Amino acid sequence: MMKKLIGFLSLAMIVTANSAYAENNNNELTGDTKLACEALLCLSSSTRPTECAASLARYFGIKDPKKWAKTVIKRKNFLKLCPTSDDNQINPIVENIIDDVTPIRTDCTAEEFNKLVEKTIRRERSEDGIVSTTYYRTKTTVPDYCENLAKKSYLDVKLPTYSCSGNYYKDEDWKNGFYTARGQNGKVQKFEIAKNCWVN
């Protein structure tokens, strides 16, 4: 809390100094420069008044359609548009705002989640007695680092959703990609195992 307060006060001082600079030079901050300074203050505050709407809309509207890493870089560069006489003063604040993606994670996607598999071993009765059988399924939970990113309101990260039943499948069936069971017609049929469970 103290670290965040200090960062917020530092930003307030920067924006105040910038306002004085603009006034002394008879030149008011406008456009992205003005929005960048406002966004810095709004992102560092625990409250988001209506005055933050325009700057945050501009900030969250900066996206790369393919790579999250590029989105982060573009957003950092936007925040750095807020002018200051000392880059060493503002750069650490910008980095602190997006420190949760350092190093930048690019694998919080449905494609990557669908590669994650979890298994369980069950002891079952068979003709040979009690045997251990391994079962697999596409992992039903997201990695902790992705969940933590999604909790950060200023990052605007939306995680994929899980669309499968969550059932486990026997080792052999999982490798083959299908399992056998009786269908509605009462006959034994093959059913494809859905592995691409995560969707955007």
Side-chain angles (χ1 to χ4, degrees), residues 98-169:
I98 319 183
D99 63 355
D100 299 89
V101 287
T102 306
I104 295 171
R105 308 301 308 216
T106 59
D107 48 2
C108 296
T109 63
E111 181 181 3
E112 294 301 320
F113 289 172
N114 285 325
K115 296 176 183 178
L116 303 177
V117 177
E118 58 186 347
K119 70 176 182 179
T120 185
I121 298 177
R122 300 173 182 173
R123 293 183 61 78
E124 301 174 331
R125 187 178 300 278
S126 70
E127 296 178 355
D128 300 323
I130 302 299
V131 297
S132 296
T133 305
T134 303
Y135 288 79
Y136 294 91
R137 69 179 178 184
T138 301
K139 191 173 177 63
T140 60
T141 56
V142 303
D144 289 342
Y145 54 80
C146 293
E147 188 171 345
N148 289 335
L149 284 180
K151 290 179 180 178
K152 304 300 181 182
S153 60
Y154 53 77
L155 292 178
D156 194 28
V157 175
K158 293 180 176 60
L159 297 179
T161 56
Y162 194 84
S163 62
C164 294
S165 65
N167 292 336
Y168 279 97
Y169 300 93

Side-chain angles (χ1 to χ4, degrees), residues 24-155:
N24 291 336
N25 288 274
N26 298 318
N27 185 23
E28 183 180 352
L29 295 179
T30 59
D32 277 354
T33 301
K34 178 175 180 289
L35 291 176
C37 291
E38 292 177 355
L40 278 168
L41 281 171
C42 294
L43 290 169
S44 298
S45 173
S46 58
T47 59
R48 303 287 172 80
T50 55
E51 289 80 3
C52 288
S55 60
L56 292 183
R58 177 70 180 93
Y59 174 79
F60 287 124
I62 300 173
K63 297 179 180 179
D64 184 272
K66 295 183 179 180
K67 292 187 178 294
W68 169 248
K70 290 185 178 180
T71 293
V72 173
I73 292 173
K74 289 178 179 179
R75 288 179 178 178
K76 283 185 178 182
N77 289 338
F78 167 71
L79 295 178
K80 290 177 181 179
L81 289 176
C82 184
T84 176
S85 60
D86 184 4
D87 286 341
N88 292 327
Q89 186 180 17
I90 195 170
N91 287 345
I93 298 174
V94 172
E95 296 297 331
N96 184 57
I97 287 178
I98 319 183
D99 63 355
D100 299 89
V101 287
T102 306
I104 295 171
R105 308 301 308 216
T106 59
D107 48 2
C108 296
T109 63
E111 181 181 3
E112 294 301 320
F113 289 172
N114 285 325
K115 296 176 183 178
L116 303 177
V117 177
E118 58 186 347
K119 70 176 182 179
T120 185
I121 298 177
R122 300 173 182 173
R123 293 183 61 78
E124 301 174 331
R125 187 178 300 278
S126 70
E127 296 178 355
D128 300 323
I130 302 299
V131 297
S132 296
T133 305
T134 303
Y135 288 79
Y136 294 91
R137 69 179 178 184
T138 301
K139 191 173 177 63
T140 60
T141 56
V142 303
D144 289 342
Y145 54 80
C146 293
E147 188 171 345
N148 289 335
L149 284 180
K151 290 179 180 178
K152 304 300 181 182
S153 60
Y154 53 77
L155 292 178

